[in-house]
Amino acid sequence: GENYHASQDSVTVDGFTDPSSSDRFCLGLLSNVNRNNVVEQTRKNIGRGVRLYYIGGEVFAECLSDSSLFVQSPNCNQQYGWHPATVCKIPPGCNLKIFNNEQFAALLSQSVNQGFEAVYALARMCSIRISFVKGWGEEYRRKTVTSTPCWIELHLNGPLQWLDKVLQQMGSPALKCGSNT
């Protein structure tokens, strides 16, 4: 799919078609000649979608849709002691903290002592997957987010840039990679 670069502290991802807003990404604008009927029906149910907002070092997802959202956030899952692959259902009108900078900073600090690979592994915490209307995971017949009709993946640029700076300061990893590894 297309990339959307958010420039505001709050952005809405919805099912409508506004092409010109800096605080909205409208999935209704995206076309695909190979789209099947299940995807079309799902997209019609997205409606007002999700509001993603950053406040006080934390990122939240708020379900504005009449249908639930499903979120996989490794940072959130670690905070609550859940399995890293846990998918949370966010019912209409509810929200969930999906990333916490302070918690990430603590993990980053701890990982530096464990080496380059431990720090590099934190990059997965900076990606958050959200599906609209349909869930996925252990309890569902859809086992992966890519099996759902409509989903997005967030990449949190701030934490990724932070991670990059730390990795650059650490230098090369102890284990050299080759074409045989």
Side-chain angles (χ1 to χ4, degrees), residues 54-59 75 79 97 99-110 159 162:
Y54 177 79
I55 186 166
E58 299 174 327
V59 179
N75 183 274
Q79 179 179 346
K97 184 191 322 175
F99 194 86
N100 180 308
N101 272 340
E102 195 173 299
Q103 177 188 355
F104 184 74
L107 287 170
L108 182 53
S109 180
Q110 293 167 10
W162 192 6

Side-chain angles (χ1 to χ4, degrees), residues 53-89:
Y53 57 99
Y54 177 79
I55 186 166
E58 299 174 327
V59 179
F60 293 85
E62 177 183 9
C63 182
L64 304 176
S65 177
D66 291 335
S67 300
S68 294
L69 298 171
F70 299 84
V71 177
Q72 185 180 59
S73 166
N75 183 274
C76 173
N77 291 343
Q78 178 149 6
Q79 179 179 346
Y80 292 108
W82 301 332
H83 186 278
T86 298
V87 177
C88 299
K89 181 178 182 177

